[in-house]
Amino acid sequence: FMTAEEKWTAIVEETTALHAQGRPVLIGTRSVNLSKQLSERLEAAGLEHEVLHALNHENEATIIERAGQSGKITVATNMAGRGTDILLSDDVVTQGGLHVICAELHESSRIDRQLTGRAARQGDPGSARVFLSLEDEILTSGLGAEQAAALRADYQRSGRNLQSAVRYFYQAQQRVEKRHERQRVELVNRISARRQMLQQMGQHANLNAH
């Protein structure tokens, strides 16, 4: 989608359609704030749902366990509750199983795989779809604000099929992952260097004491 507004509208529309079929829907978001915003949209559409995030983690297992029941709608931040199995009721199995919506790429592809992997587990039926917009935060994080803005302007001007933009999202995600990996390595190196320095200081102090 070109805009985030179009994307969120489409997510609510897809959720509404699947809910009418009796299929459960699990929607993964990047942040508590986005979960709250989506919750407001679902409420405005008359869709009852559960919201799972760090602020209500004490109900996590119960919410996730019920996520596979007929017509259930669950919104989860960063795939909270991933250690709990989602059990499908018999009628849900015949209706096509759990449908998972990834509302935006996370900074880690592992989280996206964990989320979409909640559907069609252990031989159960299921489906998953990733929703993207050219206003998503991952593009700015990975490509930089200037390049992300240029990308949006290019697609607005050219009218090209937005499907061709998908590769830029995964390029941006890969860049963010590599940046985080470098940061982790640098942190480990700093900790190692500091530990080595403290050991040398301790040895020097012992020598002086002798």
Coordinates of all heavy atoms in Angstrom, one line a residue, residues 151-186:
L151 N 11.8 6.9 -2.3 CA 11.1 5.7 -2.8 C 9.6 6.0 -2.9 O 9.0 5.6 -3.9 CB 11.4 4.6 -1.8 CG 10.9 3.2 -2.2 CD1 11.6 2.7 -3.5 CD2 11.1 2.2 -1.1
R152 N 9.1 6.6 -1.8 CA 7.6 6.9 -1.9 C 7.3 7.9 -3.0 O 6.3 7.7 -3.7 CB 7.2 7.6 -0.5 CG 7.1 6.6 0.6 CD 6.4 7.2 1.8 NE 7.2 8.3 2.4 CZ 8.1 8.2 3.3 NH1 8.4 7.0 3.8 NH2 8.7 9.3 3.8
A153 N 8.1 8.9 -3.2 CA 7.9 9.9 -4.2 C 8.0 9.2 -5.6 O 7.2 9.5 -6.5 CB 8.9 11.0 -4.1
D154 N 8.9 8.3 -5.8 CA 9.1 7.6 -7.1 C 7.8 6.8 -7.4 O 7.4 6.8 -8.5 CB 10.3 6.7 -7.0 CG 10.5 5.9 -8.3 OD1 10.5 6.5 -9.4 OD2 10.6 4.7 -8.2
Y155 N 7.3 6.1 -6.4 CA 6.1 5.3 -6.7 C 4.9 6.1 -6.9 O 4.0 5.8 -7.7 CB 5.9 4.2 -5.6 CG 6.7 2.9 -5.8 CD1 8.0 2.8 -5.4 CD2 6.1 1.9 -6.6 CE1 8.8 1.7 -5.7 CE2 6.9 0.7 -6.8 CZ 8.2 0.6 -6.4 OH 8.9 -0.5 -6.7
Q156 N 4.8 7.2 -6.2 CA 3.6 8.1 -6.4 C 3.7 8.7 -7.8 O 2.6 8.9 -8.4 CB 3.7 9.2 -5.3 CG 3.3 8.7 -3.9 CD 3.5 9.8 -2.9 OE1 4.3 10.7 -3.0 NE2 2.8 9.7 -1.8
R157 N 4.9 9.1 -8.2 CA 5.0 9.7 -9.5 C 4.8 8.8 -10.7 O 4.2 9.1 -11.7 CB 6.4 10.4 -9.6 CG 6.7 11.2 -10.9 CD 8.0 11.9 -10.8 NE 9.1 11.0 -10.5 CZ 9.8 10.9 -9.3 NH1 9.4 11.7 -8.3 NH2 10.8 10.1 -9.1
S158 N 5.4 7.6 -10.5 CA 5.4 6.6 -11.7 C 4.1 5.8 -11.8 O 3.8 5.3 -12.9 CB 6.6 5.7 -11.5 OG 6.5 4.9 -10.4
G159 N 3.5 5.6 -10.6 CA 2.3 4.7 -10.7 C 2.6 3.3 -10.9 O 1.8 2.5 -11.3
R160 N 3.9 2.9 -10.6 CA 4.3 1.5 -10.8 C 3.5 0.6 -9.8 O 3.0 1.0 -8.7 CB 5.8 1.3 -10.5 CG 6.6 1.8 -11.7 CD 8.1 1.3 -11.4 NE 8.7 2.1 -10.4 CZ 9.7 1.7 -9.7 NH1 10.3 0.5 -9.9 NH2 10.3 2.4 -8.7
N161 N 3.4 -0.7 -10.2 CA 2.8 -1.7 -9.3 C 3.6 -1.8 -8.0 O 4.8 -2.0 -8.0 CB 2.8 -3.1 -10.0 CG 2.0 -4.1 -9.2 OD1 1.9 -4.0 -8.0 ND2 1.4 -5.0 -10.0
L162 N 2.9 -1.6 -6.9 CA 3.5 -1.6 -5.6 C 4.1 -2.9 -5.2 O 5.0 -3.0 -4.3 CB 2.5 -1.1 -4.5 CG 2.1 0.3 -4.5 CD1 1.0 0.6 -3.6 CD2 3.3 1.2 -4.2
Q163 N 3.7 -4.0 -5.8 CA 4.3 -5.3 -5.5 C 5.8 -5.3 -5.8 O 6.6 -6.0 -5.2 CB 3.7 -6.4 -6.4 CG 2.3 -6.8 -5.9 CD 2.3 -7.5 -4.5 OE1 3.2 -8.2 -4.2 NE2 1.3 -7.2 -3.7
S164 N 6.2 -4.5 -6.7 CA 7.7 -4.4 -7.1 C 8.5 -3.7 -6.0 O 9.7 -3.8 -6.0 CB 7.9 -3.6 -8.4 OG 7.5 -2.3 -8.3
A165 N 7.8 -3.1 -5.0 CA 8.5 -2.4 -3.9 C 8.9 -3.4 -2.8 O 9.6 -3.0 -1.9 CB 7.7 -1.3 -3.4
V166 N 8.3 -4.6 -2.8 CA 8.5 -5.5 -1.7 C 10.0 -5.8 -1.4 O 10.4 -5.8 -0.2 CB 7.8 -6.9 -2.0 CG1 8.2 -7.9 -1.0 CG2 6.3 -6.7 -2.0
R167 N 10.8 -5.9 -2.4 CA 12.2 -6.1 -2.2 C 12.9 -5.1 -1.3 O 13.9 -5.4 -0.6 CB 13.0 -6.3 -3.5 CG 13.1 -5.1 -4.3 CD 13.9 -5.4 -5.6 NE 14.2 -4.2 -6.4 CZ 13.3 -3.6 -7.3 NH1 12.1 -4.2 -7.5 NH2 13.7 -2.6 -8.0
Y168 N 12.4 -3.8 -1.4 CA 13.1 -2.8 -0.6 C 12.8 -2.9 0.9 O 13.7 -2.6 1.7 CB 12.5 -1.4 -1.1 CG 12.9 -1.1 -2.5 CD1 11.9 -1.0 -3.5 CD2 14.2 -0.8 -2.9 CE1 12.2 -0.7 -4.8 CE2 14.5 -0.5 -4.2 CZ 13.5 -0.4 -5.2 OH 13.8 -0.1 -6.5
F169 N 11.7 -3.5 1.2 CA 11.4 -3.8 2.6 C 12.3 -4.8 3.2 O 12.8 -4.6 4.3 CB 9.9 -4.3 2.8 CG 8.9 -3.2 2.5 CD1 8.4 -2.9 1.2 CD2 8.4 -2.5 3.6 CE1 7.5 -2.0 1.0 CE2 7.4 -1.5 3.4 CZ 7.0 -1.2 2.1
Y170 N 12.6 -5.9 2.4 CA 13.5 -6.9 3.0 C 14.9 -6.4 2.9 O 15.7 -6.8 3.8 CB 13.2 -8.2 2.2 CG 11.9 -8.8 2.5 CD1 10.8 -8.6 1.7 CD2 11.7 -9.5 3.8 CE1 9.6 -9.2 2.1 CE2 10.5 -10.0 4.1 CZ 9.4 -9.9 3.3 OH 8.2 -10.4 3.6
Q171 N 15.3 -5.6 2.0 CA 16.6 -5.0 2.0 C 16.8 -4.1 3.2 O 17.8 -4.2 3.9 CB 16.8 -4.1 0.7 CG 17.0 -5.0 -0.5 CD 17.1 -4.1 -1.8 OE1 17.1 -2.8 -1.7 NE2 17.2 -4.7 -2.9
A172 N 15.8 -3.3 3.5 CA 15.8 -2.5 4.7 C 15.9 -3.3 6.0 O 16.7 -3.0 6.9 CB 14.6 -1.6 4.8
Q173 N 15.2 -4.4 6.1 CA 15.2 -5.2 7.2 C 16.6 -5.9 7.4 O 17.1 -5.9 8.5 CB 14.1 -6.3 7.1 CG 14.0 -7.2 8.4 CD 12.9 -8.3 8.2 OE1 13.0 -9.1 7.3 NE2 11.9 -8.2 9.0
Q174 N 17.2 -6.3 6.3 CA 18.5 -6.9 6.4 C 19.6 -5.9 6.9 O 20.5 -6.3 7.6 CB 18.9 -7.5 5.0 CG 18.2 -8.7 4.6 CD 18.4 -9.2 3.2 OE1 19.2 -8.5 2.5 NE2 17.8 -10.3 2.8
R175 N 19.4 -4.7 6.4 CA 20.4 -3.6 6.8 C 20.3 -3.4 8.3 O 21.3 -3.2 9.0 CB 20.1 -2.3 6.1 CG 20.6 -2.4 4.6 CD 20.4 -1.0 4.0 NE 20.7 -1.0 2.5 CZ 20.6 0.0 1.8 NH1 20.4 1.2 2.3 NH2 20.9 -0.1 0.5
V176 N 19.0 -3.4 8.8 CA 18.8 -3.1 10.3 C 19.4 -4.3 11.1 O 20.1 -4.1 12.1 CB 17.3 -3.0 10.6 CG1 17.1 -2.9 12.1 CG2 16.8 -1.7 10.0
E177 N 19.2 -5.5 10.6 CA 19.7 -6.7 11.3 C 21.2 -6.7 11.3 O 21.8 -7.0 12.4 CB 19.2 -8.0 10.6 CG 17.7 -8.3 10.8 CD 17.3 -9.5 10.1 OE1 17.7 -9.8 9.0 OE2 16.5 -10.3 10.8
K178 N 21.9 -6.3 10.2 CA 23.3 -6.2 10.2 C 23.8 -5.2 11.1 O 24.9 -5.3 11.8 CB 23.8 -6.0 8.7 CG 23.7 -7.2 7.8 CD 24.1 -6.9 6.4 CE 24.0 -8.1 5.5 NZ 24.3 -7.8 4.1
R179 N 23.1 -4.0 11.2 CA 23.5 -2.9 12.1 C 23.5 -3.4 13.5 O 24.4 -3.1 14.3 CB 22.6 -1.7 11.8 CG 23.1 -0.5 12.7 CD 22.4 0.7 12.2 NE 20.9 0.7 12.5 CZ 20.0 1.0 11.5 NH1 20.3 1.2 10.3 NH2 18.7 1.0 11.9
H180 N 22.4 -4.1 13.9 CA 22.2 -4.6 15.2 C 23.3 -5.7 15.5 O 23.8 -5.7 16.7 CB 20.8 -5.2 15.4 CG 19.8 -4.2 15.5 ND1 18.4 -4.5 15.5 CD2 19.8 -2.9 15.5 CE1 17.7 -3.4 15.6 NE2 18.5 -2.4 15.6
E181 N 23.6 -6.5 14.6 CA 24.7 -7.5 14.8 C 26.0 -6.8 15.0 O 26.8 -7.2 15.9 CB 24.8 -8.4 13.5 CG 25.8 -9.5 13.7 CD 25.9 -10.4 12.5 OE1 25.1 -10.2 11.6 OE2 26.7 -11.3 12.5
R182 N 26.3 -5.7 14.3 CA 27.6 -5.0 14.5 C 27.6 -4.4 15.9 O 28.6 -4.4 16.6 CB 27.8 -3.9 13.5 CG 28.2 -4.4 12.1 CD 28.7 -3.3 11.2 NE 27.7 -2.2 11.1 CZ 26.8 -2.1 10.1 NH1 26.7 -3.1 9.2 NH2 25.9 -1.1 10.1
Q183 N 26.5 -3.9 16.3 CA 26.4 -3.2 17.7 C 26.6 -4.3 18.8 O 27.2 -4.0 19.8 CB 25.0 -2.6 17.8 CG 24.8 -1.3 17.0 CD 23.4 -0.8 16.9 OE1 22.5 -1.5 17.3 NE2 23.2 0.4 16.4
R184 N 26.0 -5.5 18.5 CA 26.2 -6.5 19.5 C 27.7 -6.9 19.6 O 28.2 -7.1 20.7 CB 25.4 -7.8 19.2 CG 23.9 -7.6 19.5 CD 23.1 -8.9 19.4 NE 23.2 -9.5 18.1 CZ 22.3 -9.3 17.2 NH1 21.3 -8.4 17.4 NH2 22.3 -9.8 16.0
V185 N 28.4 -7.1 18.5 CA 29.8 -7.4 18.4 C 30.6 -6.4 19.1 O 31.5 -6.7 19.9 CB 30.3 -7.6 17.0 CG1 31.8 -7.8 16.9 CG2 29.6 -8.9 16.4
E186 N 30.3 -5.1 18.8 CA 31.0 -4.0 19.5 C 30.8 -4.0 21.0 O 31.8 -3.7 21.7 CB 30.6 -2.7 18.9 CG 31.0 -2.4 17.4 CD 30.4 -1.2 16.8 OE1 29.6 -0.6 17.5 OE2 30.6 -1.0 15.6

